């Protein structure tokens, strides 16, 4: 075996190692989800949301890393997209549903259980939908971001009736053609959208970190960023094409 063959094997091994590292990063979301669930069981909603926030960050960065290191090509027999879906269902759906039920955001009794069950049921359609994204990178239907919905309930302190109504409507949107923005990949007004997304993450982190204290200026920026992202989603929903 000559030096060139050895070099090629070393490079290939490093590339596979990098690909496995990206998959490990994605898989770490499951462990983070477990820590969030433990926080829920222990009665600490704030800590649970902090863990879910970390899981959201991991989910946001693993995709770019996967594309950068050509993970699908380096490890063709290991489906990173499927791995991502499994982890996302835990952190975006299961843990938030348990959190909302545990901390009585849906009240109590069978209605609360039904609302949590609706989150799990409606989200399955989204995760199994092969037409989940448009060509310009919008989601089709409500993209089962129940971790984000739960965060709004927590920070805004919305009443039970509102939480139940919002959950019923958003779950129903999962089965529609309503478009929802992917903040990092949508091309429309990209610079503004990325700025709004960064503002949303920064202000949400501040509001969560210092909860229950509320800074009205920070809250206003958070809501303004939210309005942009939601507004762009509705604009795309009614745009032809």
């Amino acid at each position: 075996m000559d030096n060139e063959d050895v070099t090629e094997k070393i490079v290939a091994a490093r590339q596979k190692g990098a690909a496995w590292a990206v998959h490990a990063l994605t898989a770490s979301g499951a462990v983070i989800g477990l820590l969030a669930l433990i926080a829920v069981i222990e009665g600490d909603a704030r800590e649970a949301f902090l863990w879910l926030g970390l899981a959201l960050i991991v989910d946001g960065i693993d995709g770019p890393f996967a594309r950068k290191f050509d993970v699908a090509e380096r490890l063709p027999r290991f489906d990173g997209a499927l791995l991502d879906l499994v982890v996302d269902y835990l952190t975006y759906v299961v843990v938030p549903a348990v959190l909302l039920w545990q901390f009585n955001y849906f009240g109590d009794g069978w209605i609360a259980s039904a609302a949590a069950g609706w989150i799990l049921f409606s989200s399955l359609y989204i995760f199994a939908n092969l037409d989940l994204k448009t060509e310009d990178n919008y989601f089709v239907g409500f993209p089962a971001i129940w971790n984000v919905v739960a965060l709004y309930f927590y920070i805004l302190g919305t009443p039970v009736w509102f939480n139940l109504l919002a959950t019923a409507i958003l779950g129903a949107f999962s089965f529609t053609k309503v478009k929802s923005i992917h903040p990092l990949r949508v091309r429309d007004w990209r610079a503004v959208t990325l700025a709004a997304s960064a503002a949303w993450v920064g202000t949400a982190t501040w509001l969560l970190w210092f909860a229950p204290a509320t800074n009205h200026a920070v809250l206003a920026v958070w809501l303004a960023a939210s309005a942009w992202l939601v507004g762009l989603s509705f604009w795309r929903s009614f745009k032809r094409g």
Side-chain angles (χ1 to χ4, degrees):
M1 182 180 296
D2 57 28
N3 291 335
E4 185 175 342
D5 290 336
V6 172
T7 301
E8 288 180 355
K9 287 191 174 183
I10 292 175
V11 170
R14 287 177 177 175
Q15 289 173 337
K16 283 191 174 183
W20 279 118
V22 174
H23 284 321
L25 175 64
T26 302
S28 70
V31 179
I32 296 170
L34 174 63
L35 295 173
L37 188 58
I38 291 173
V40 171
I41 294 171
E42 293 180 344
D44 194 333
R46 178 176 169 275
E47 181 181 338
F49 277 115
L50 288 172
W51 284 119
L52 288 177
L54 180 58
L56 187 64
I57 292 172
V58 169
D59 185 49
I61 65 176
D62 64 352
F65 278 128
R67 289 184 288 274
K68 176 180 176 60
F69 292 105
D70 296 322
V71 170
E73 181 181 343
R74 306 302 177 196
L75 300 172
R77 298 189 61 79
F78 191 90
D79 194 334
L82 183 57
L83 172 65
D84 188 64
L85 286 176
V86 172
V87 174
D88 284 354
Y89 191 76
L90 172 65
T91 59
Y92 280 69
V93 181
V94 175
V95 175
V98 176
L99 184 154
L100 291 168
W101 179 86
Q102 175 70 13
F103 293 105
N104 299 319
Y105 283 93
F106 296 142
D108 53 20
W110 70 268
I111 294 180
S113 299
W118 175 238
I119 289 175
L120 299 179
F121 179 83
S122 61
S123 299
L124 287 171
Y125 177 79
I126 290 298
F127 279 79
N129 185 4
L130 297 180
D131 296 320
L132 178 58
K133 291 182 182 178
T134 64
E135 292 183 358
D136 53 350
N137 294 323
Y138 284 82
F139 292 107
V140 178
F142 175 68
I145 48 173
W146 294 105
N147 48 352
V148 175
V149 174
L151 180 64
Y152 278 98
F153 293 168
Y154 176 77
I155 291 179
L156 299 178
T158 50
V160 169
W161 69 264
F162 179 90
N163 300 340
L164 289 170
L165 180 61
T167 298
I169 293 173
L170 291 173
F173 276 170
S174 300
F175 304 96
T176 70
K177 297 297 184 180
V178 170
K179 306 302 187 295
S180 302
I181 190 172
H182 188 307
L184 300 181
R185 302 193 67 183
V186 165
R187 296 187 291 271
D188 294 320
W189 292 288
R190 183 168 179 77
V192 178
T193 301
L194 288 176
S197 301
W200 190 94
V201 171
T203 51
T205 301
W206 193 101
L207 291 167
L208 185 56
W209 189 263
F210 292 102
T214 300
N215 182 298
H216 293 293
V218 175
L219 180 63
V221 173
W222 184 60
L223 293 176
S226 303
W228 173 265
L229 298 173
V230 172
L232 190 58
S233 298
F234 275 99
W235 171 82
R236 179 60 181 84
S237 297
F238 294 102
K239 176 186 174 184
R240 291 185 179 180

